[in-house]
Each structure stands twice: as structure tokens, then as C-alpha cells.
Amino acid sequence: MSVKLFPATVLALSIALSGCTTSINSEDIMAHRVNYLLDVTQYQDAQWFDASIHSVEPFKIRFDDGIRASGVRLSVEGSKNTVIYFGGAPYRDQKSDVDILGQFALLGLNVITVRNRSIDSHGNWPTLTQLKEDSEMVYQAARQKYRNEFLILHGTAVSSFWVSKMAAERDDVDALVLEGGITTFEEFAEEKNHLAWLREKLDLKQKVDVDSELTSLNNYKSLELFEGPMLVLAAQQDSLVPSGLANKLYDASPSMKKAVKVVNYADEKDLMMRDDALAAYMQFVQTYGWKDL
């Protein structure tokens, strides 16, 4: 699923000022446009694509309210390890999707990614509840279609809340990867230097209050219920999500099958392009994934 936190995706900001506080709400985080249509040919034309071992096909889904979303499934010959990739805020929506899928292909991993819903015909943006339900339906469709594969839920930034929640509530999530994940929005808001994308709207000298819809998102509560394999990835120079949250996410899980990697000199734009991140991912899958890898 596709879009990256935050500057390019923020469409509307509704900031309420009261006394010595500044408020941040879900629209500040979640509003976005889906600008780039998915087309399997853009993957087939990529330099990394090798038709002798790679194949790409559409992955389409219809949500309960009738909205249709389209994505792609990249398959690597012989692989039984499949990443269901959810991007940032709420999902990455940029042309580098092709490069990111290429990184998974380099690791010998299948990957599914789906374009998220955008603004509807009535001018309404998706709600947090819709986005969470959409993510669950994508996972359910993938699990039903690929019953005999090791499915890895990969959530980036805000999407880390959706995948962690699914891992906590389901017994068929094989593994979890959190990339630039957030613990809670209260802790995120405490790091005001990471709110620079809202600097023109927020008075960062004031206390930043988070509305109740965002405070309901809590990865501590979700992760304490998941004991399966988990990898936490973070970029040391992430300008949006504090890299220090990575170790907090790691500590929140009771799993005995977990790892954390903070990649030095990397930022949120190139984390999955870095050799250290790929090495950590490969070691994680080799240790806990499908043993025929």
C-alpha cells in the first residue's frame, strides 16, 4: 500500500489553539492524495526485473463499502516468503515503489502492495477506521489466496499501528516488521523537532495536545499481545519519526524471536535502500521464515 509521511501528503490542516497548547488531529496526519496509478509494466520495465525468475500480476480488492483498490503481487521463483507491504501516512504514494519492490526481489521475497483509497466522490477523506479495515481486508485476501506461504506484515510509520493490531488480534500472522514505527502519538508529539512539517501551523513553543482519535492508537498495547517473530527497523537520521522509538517498540514485545536494527546515517527516504537494513531483513527471514529460502 502506498504514500510517505508527511509533507507531500498533508492536504488539510485543522489546528485548534487554546491557551498554551496547540492541537494536532487525525487530518494533520492522514490526509493524502493517491497520485500514481499502479501499472505492472512499470515493474516489468525496471532494471532489477528478471523475467526468468520474477513475475508481476495485479492484486485487486473490493472493500465492504464498494470502493475498489488495486495493487501488485511480485513473485520470485521458488519463494514461499511473502511481504504484505503497507507504506507510511497512511500508505506510501510515490514512484519509488518500484525501487522498494526491487529491494524485496533482491532478497528473494515475494511482495504484495496495494494503492490505498483516496478522496471519495463526495469529497470525503478516509477515516482512521476505514484505513484500518482496509488493511485488514488486504491481509485477509492475501491469506486466503496464498494459504501456503509465510506472510510477513510490514508496516511503515503510521501503518505500523494497523499491522501491530492485526498481529495482536489474529493467530495466523507469521511475522511482523515495523519500519520507522511509532509507539504512541503522545510520545511522537513530545519530539517537537520531528514536527517541522507542521511548523507553519503549530506553535512549537507550546505544549502539543493530541486528539482522542490519535491517542487511541497504541503500539505498546498491541505488541504486548504478539509473541511471534518481529523485526524493528529505523533510520538514525529519520527527520519524521524519532529513531529512539525503535528500541521502545522492541522492548514492548514479549517475543523471544525479535530483532531491532537502527541504520546509521540513513533517513526515512532511503532506509530500505541501505545494505544494513537489507542484511537485517535477510537474517530475520532466514531465521524465522520459510525454511526453503
Side-chain angles (χ1 to χ4, degrees):
M1 262 158 159
S2 301
V3 180
K4 183 74 178 172
L5 267 177
F6 289 108
T9 63
V10 175
L11 176 70
L13 295 171
S14 176
I15 305 298
L17 298 178
S18 177
C20 295
T21 65
T22 298
S23 298
I24 183 172
N25 61 36
S26 60
E27 287 187 357
D28 303 329
I29 304 297
M30 309 307 292
H32 68 288
R33 290 185 183 276
V34 176
N35 296 312
Y36 305 112
L37 298 178
L38 283 176
D39 181 357
V40 295
T41 60
Q42 65 185 314
Y43 300 94
Q44 294 168 337
D45 293 341
Q47 290 185 347
W48 54 262
F49 189 85
D50 182 348
S52 67
I53 58 173
H54 299 149
S55 62
V56 179
E57 60 183 332
F59 185 91
K60 297 184 181 295
I61 187 169
R62 181 174 180 174
F63 300 127
D64 285 341
D65 59 2
I67 296 293
R68 297 179 183 273
S70 64
V72 295
R73 150 86 182 203
L74 166 71
S75 299
V76 179
E77 184 179 10
S79 178
K80 292 290 187 179
N81 293 291
T82 300
V83 176
I84 305 177
Y85 179 79
F86 298 90
Y91 306 123
R92 182 171 297 148
D93 179 30
Q94 56 190 22
K95 295 177 181 178
S96 62
D97 282 357
V98 174
D99 298 328
I100 292 170
L101 261 67
Q103 296 298 88
F104 288 118
L106 179 66
L107 296 178
L109 303 176
N110 310 315
V111 60
I112 296 168
T113 188
V114 178
R115 273 292 185 270
N116 183 60
R117 71 172 72 213
S118 183
I119 192 170
D120 66 19
S121 59
H122 301 290
N124 299 316
W125 292 98
T127 65
L128 292 179
T129 299
Q130 284 176 320
L131 295 170
K132 176 179 178 292
E133 291 175 351
D134 290 355
S135 302
E136 292 171 346
M137 290 197 68
V138 170
Y139 175 77
Q140 290 168 10
R143 173 54 76 188
Q144 183 175 9
K145 188 171 183 179
Y146 304 105
R147 298 177 185 273
N148 298 320
E149 295 184 5
F150 187 89
L151 297 188
I152 303 166
L153 279 176
H154 182 134
T156 303
V158 177
S159 298
S160 66
F161 291 113
W162 315 148
V163 298
S164 296
K165 191 71 171 175
M166 283 188 276
E169 295 176 345
R170 303 179 63 97
D171 59 6
D172 58 359
V173 173
D174 294 319
L176 182 64
V177 175
L178 305 180
E179 177 193 345
I182 301 172
T183 50
T184 67
F185 268 104
E186 293 95 325
E187 288 190 343
F188 173 76
E190 288 175 1
E191 300 287 340
K192 294 183 181 180
N193 59 311
H194 285 83
L195 298 177
W197 46 279
L198 285 176
R199 186 164 289 135
E200 293 183 0
K201 301 293 181 179
L202 291 176
D203 184 347
L204 298 184
K205 295 180 181 179
Q206 297 179 342
K207 180 177 182 293
V208 179
D209 282 344
V210 182
D211 76 5
S212 59
E213 189 173 23
L214 291 178
T215 58
S216 68
L217 302 175
N218 189 318
N219 267 332
Y220 288 121
K221 291 182 178 179
S222 295
L223 291 178
E224 68 182 10
L225 299 176
F226 180 66
E227 298 184 2
M230 182 185 76
L231 171 65
V232 180
L233 291 174
Q236 181 192 43
Q237 296 179 343
D238 192 319
S239 64
L240 303 170
V241 178
S243 61
L245 298 183
N247 286 316
K248 292 184 178 182
L249 291 168
Y250 175 86
D251 292 338
S253 170
S255 175
M256 300 299 292
K257 303 175 179 180
K258 60 182 180 179
V260 59
K261 179 65 179 180
V262 178
V263 179
N264 294 332
Y265 311 112
D267 62 27
E268 70 280 2
K269 297 177 182 178
D270 70 353
L271 178 58
M272 284 301 295
M273 302 296 156
R274 301 296 294 269
D275 289 344
D276 287 354
L278 295 184
Y281 217 113
M282 191 63 180
Q283 182 177 0
F284 177 73
V285 176
Q286 285 182 329
T287 303
Y288 302 115
W290 192 274
K291 296 308 179 185
D292 292 339
L293 182 68

